[in-house]
Amino acid sequence: MATYSYEENPRLSAHFCAREFRCKCSSPHTFQVSEQLISMLERLYTALDCGKIIVSSGYRCAAHDKAVGGNGAGQHTKGTAADVVCYDKSGGIISAKTVCCKAQDLGFGGIANITSAYTSVHLDVRTGAKWYGDETKGTNTVTSDFYRYFGIAKDSKDSRKAAAKGIDVSKHQGVIDWEKVKASGQVDFAILRAGFGKESNQIDVQFARNYSECKRLGIPCGAYWYSYAKTAAEAEQEAAVCLSALAGKQFEYPVAFDIEEKESLQNADALCQAFCSALESAGYYTAIYTFKSALESCIGDNVKKRYDVFLSHVDVSKSSYAGNYGLWQYSWKGSVSGIVGDVDLDYAYRDYPAIIKNAGLNGFAKSATTTPAADTGKDTLDTGKDTDMLGQILQHVASIDEKLNG
Ligand SMILES: [Zn+2]
Ligand SMILES: [Zn+2]
């Protein structure tokens, strides 16, 4: 066990620095980090092939442990625990189910899923009795085997949830037979063109029908808005029309700002920020849709880090785009039963329905993301007072920035 002063920040291993583990209470004080915990986190990093692991809560003083729902004497107060979010190399959050299983294989003494969106995991290196929990179920010890508990095959080479398969459609697909689409089994989600430009009469003529059919058949859907904006003011006008089209509807997937016109891309960052911040202010989870080349040469790092990315890069088996993205459009020539002609095909790498519904975004009412702490040994997500998912996402982004820049 090593003890550090509040301002100390030595590198502890290839992927962790001391400061990531210090107490997040308001008074600066010394903190402890177990070497055993760091070496186990490094093993987890390798085993999951992570791009990064963000520590949302490491050491806690007794007062802070109590403040976030612990009993003031748990593993966090000993420096032997960390609540983490694990990211894959494309920047997607690795499901807590996968992380729990892998942590079990590696021999962590205490493991628990701590959010109902399955994004965060408590890990500790306690000795003696094991503690495998699922905080969202409100009980301390849920299982002796996470594989069985989550229904994950142990022998599968990659127990990571496979990407969801989707399509994106507009009036160009005509009147879609959504029952056939659903029955095809090829479509886990659909991204619907809501409209284009800044005039109120430019809502996609199939949008309302596509939306109501998806809802009727239980196909999770998102939306996109095709931009012709040249200035931030025009992008704001587009956002206003888009919001009027989205009003009263619920979307399990992001709302993407489709920026691909040459003149729009000349001023891309300002347009993306104007559109996405207007959508976010209205409670929507946004993404930037554009081509690989535009992402590389027209969109700034701050914008790509700040908003989710819907990458368009077709006719390749694996995209060579090096940045992060949550959605990938990989073909314009898909063939799906119920749709006449070609259709765009997409993959989603994040569990958007869980993220968006839990956060109460995109028209959904907010649901509780953690079980209220009533019991000793309880562990809640330590994100301070802001526990909504958008806040969590932004906090993660901030943590990532801090990690990359620090
Ligand atoms: Zn403290
Ligand atoms: Zn914890």
Side-chain angles (χ1 to χ4, degrees), residues 23-27 29-30 59-65:
C23 187
K24 290 187 170 166
C25 75
S26 52
S27 53
H29 57 71
T30 60
Y59 178 78
R60 297 175 190 159
C61 62
H64 186 55
D65 194 52

Side-chain angles (χ1 to χ4, degrees), residues 294-371:
L295 284 165
E296 287 166 342
S297 55
C298 305
I299 315 268
D301 286 342
N302 288 341
V303 170
K304 285 181 282 195
K305 271 193 221 164
R306 178 63 183 73
Y307 304 105
D308 210 329
V309 169
F310 184 174
L311 165 71
S312 176
H313 189 192
V314 301
D315 301 332
V316 287
S317 58
K318 193 176 186 315
S319 176
S320 53
Y321 176 62
N324 293 334
Y325 51 93
L327 288 155
W328 175 28
Q329 182 186 65
Y330 64 95
S331 175
W332 295 334
K333 293 177 185 147
S335 171
V336 172
S337 170
I339 299 176
V340 178
D342 294 339
V343 63
D344 299 341
L345 302 178
D346 314 301
Y347 287 124
Y349 297 101
R350 296 183 179 140
D351 188 354
Y352 288 113
I355 292 169
I356 286 166
K357 285 185 191 173
N358 279 303
L361 299 170
N362 291 9
F364 289 100
K366 184 166 164 40
S367 63
T369 53
T370 52
T371 311

